[in-house]
Amino acid sequence: MKITELIAAMSGSFTHPSHQNYIAQLSIDCVIFGYQDATLKVLIPKLNFKGDFYSLPSGFVRQEEDLDQAALRILEERTQLANIYLQQFHVFGNADRHNERFMLDLLALNPQLTGPQEEYDWYVRRFVSVGYYALVDINKVKPQCSELDEKMEWIPVQELPKLILDGAEIIAKALKAMRLHFDDHVVGYNLLPETFTMKELQQLYETVFDKPYRRNNFQKMILDLNIVDRLEKQFTGAANKAPYLYTFKPTSNK
Amino acid sequence: MKITELIAAMSGSFTHPSHQNYIAQLSIDCVIFGYQDATLKVLIPKLNFKGDFYSLPSGFVRQEEDLDQAALRILEERTQLANIYLQQFHVFGNADRHNERFMLDLLALNPQLTGPQEEYDWYVRRFVSVGYYALVDINKVKPQCSELDEKMEWIPVQELPKLILDGAEIIAKALKAMRLHFDDHVVGYNLLPETFTMKELQQLYETVFDKPYRRNNFQKMILDLNIVDRLEKQFTGAANKAPYLYTFKPTSNK
């Protein structure tokens, strides 16, 4: 067994020198959104490389694996979360979306990723990448670095660093697609606790769409969408002042 | 011979001279919509093969070519139309979306497509396919058969034959995406002549969305969308009875 295979077998990691098991020149990039302190954030790996290089959690597709399965696997590897909301949104296929010099330098610093010289070639070729976005509960995520990462950070979408390749475009397209799906698919249920007030839901919408809503209009919109159930008020000393709690309807998860 | 070269040679991936210019295991499927006689139609190739086998116009991506460029090239090859509205809408990546036996039989009937046995392998592997839809003026299209096709037909979306692989799913997703984009992008301008009446525009919408509109509501919706200009009435003997003509605003092409 080659040392590279041994390492891969031990780490069970997303990169793998036995490249014949993967579809060549096809990758998946994940834009993982979380919501915290009324702020929309993205999980961003910082590469283990001289200088500040940021990328997106990504991986490859196994020959026997559905594309969606691969995305779920990659997401689980990087967040330790299973069964979360994941949506394919765009394929990024420009011919110039690779940087051979950069990759060679990066791989030279991470010799465990490659064996013989020709395995480098697998990495440095052009990749067509399928973008998926996920909506997760930040508190449940345990970010996992790949072998290429120094660390992973939750960064507000308004404060993103410069990303390698077309990372900025991928996040912009993910955000646009997520907003488009937001009402239809009620994807927000992943971002809030089990029960929430109308005010908390409004804050989530204001953050996602980056615009204010008027309270009455917002409430009417949500009730018209028919996506939440109002719960009984809990008895407390000042029950009549406590806001109603809501929960997403079970059938609205799709 | 190094083991990786051997594997590459055995698998017939992008190493073979005939195919090394293309990205292996990646294809493009085009759903080409046209509008005729108040009917939405799709351009469907019938395969040159025993029995009735229908597919979608498709092709591969050259190494030096952007994904969008490849889709435009394939579309032009099959319709002789350049610069038409084309939209990526979904990637189809299930692991089971290939049929080795069928492809081998099909290729055996078309020996001009392949040389040595290993070139067959390039075709029979699993393909991840990027779906694009196009909206074209049927009268301007000159359908071109590929080497695999017996003929190409415009078939109403309501009367589609059984398609090979996941063709039915691809068309269904294309239709859904096209409807979603229809208002936003005013893609309809490809489907109508330069000038048209409000009634003709309403008929187009009713066909695309497969539902009736009330005349007054429709007119208000279109005027609110601010996508058309009303033209001066042409002088005719019965000018006061002639309907107004409209044209799409030039800036609404995107």
Side-chain angles (χ1 to χ4, degrees), chain B residues 7-227:
Chain B
I7 289 164
M10 282 165 55
S11 70
S13 58
F14 46 78
T15 54
H16 196 277
S18 306
H19 296 127
Q20 64 194 4
N21 294 331
Y22 292 89
I23 296 178
Q25 301 192 264
L26 185 72
S27 61
I28 286 177
D29 275 290
C30 296
V31 180
I32 306 174
F33 291 112
Y35 178 69
Q36 196 176 43
D37 304 331
T39 305
L40 192 66
K41 299 181 178 181
V42 184
L43 189 58
I44 301 285
K46 182 172 186 291
L47 294 174
N48 184 19
F49 195 53
K50 56 197 179 213
D52 292 331
F53 289 96
Y54 297 88
S55 71
L56 286 168
S58 60
F60 308 121
V61 183
R62 293 181 184 144
Q63 286 292 353
E64 74 285 2
E65 195 175 44
D66 291 346
L67 190 66
D68 287 349
Q69 283 175 345
L72 280 169
R73 172 180 55 76
I74 293 163
L75 198 70
E76 188 170 350
E77 286 167 1
R78 307 305 291 273
T79 64
Q80 305 266 294
L81 287 183
N83 296 320
I84 66 162
Y85 183 86
L86 188 71
Q87 182 73 43
Q88 183 202 109
F89 65 93
H90 195 75
V91 193
F92 299 86
N94 281 355
D96 65 359
R97 61 179 312 286
H98 64 143
N99 183 333
E100 185 168 332
R101 189 67 252 158
F102 176 79
M103 276 306 291
L104 288 173
D105 289 346
L106 185 62
L107 292 171
L109 283 181
N110 294 274
Q112 77 282 9
L113 283 184
T114 56
Q117 178 59 40
E118 59 266 29
E119 291 194 5
Y120 279 72
D121 299 333
W122 198 89
Y123 283 105
V124 302
R125 300 191 81 185
R126 163 192 181 184
F127 273 85
V128 170
S129 196
V130 184
Y132 280 81
Y133 74 81
L135 295 174
V136 302
D137 182 343
I138 284 188
N139 300 311
K140 292 184 183 155
V141 170
K142 298 184 183 67
Q144 307 292 310
C145 287
S146 80
E147 306 90 328
L148 289 174
D149 305 330
E150 178 191 317
K151 59 178 178 177
M152 291 175 83
E153 291 177 276
W154 284 105
I155 303 182
V157 289
Q158 317 286 6
E159 300 166 19
L160 292 171
K162 190 166 164 5
L163 275 76
I164 62 168
L165 292 177
D166 48 1
E169 185 196 348
I170 293 176
I171 292 178
K173 274 231 162 69
L175 191 56
K176 196 175 162 188
M178 193 262 275
R179 286 173 175 161
L180 200 62
H181 295 151
F182 206 73
D183 288 332
D184 282 354
H185 298 263
V186 200
V187 293
Y189 74 92
N190 262 315
L191 299 177
L192 286 179
E194 187 70 20
T195 63
F196 45 84
T197 64
M198 192 57 77
K199 189 178 169 188
E200 287 170 330
L201 187 59
Q202 182 173 340
Q203 199 166 45
L204 171 65
Y205 269 75
E206 289 181 338
T207 304
V208 165
F209 290 99
D210 196 21
K211 67 175 184 188
Y213 289 85
R214 293 181 59 167
R215 194 170 68 88
N216 287 349
N217 292 352
F218 181 79
Q219 181 145 347
K220 181 174 184 316
M221 178 185 88
I222 293 299
L223 297 180
D224 286 350
L225 283 172
N226 196 30
I227 56 177

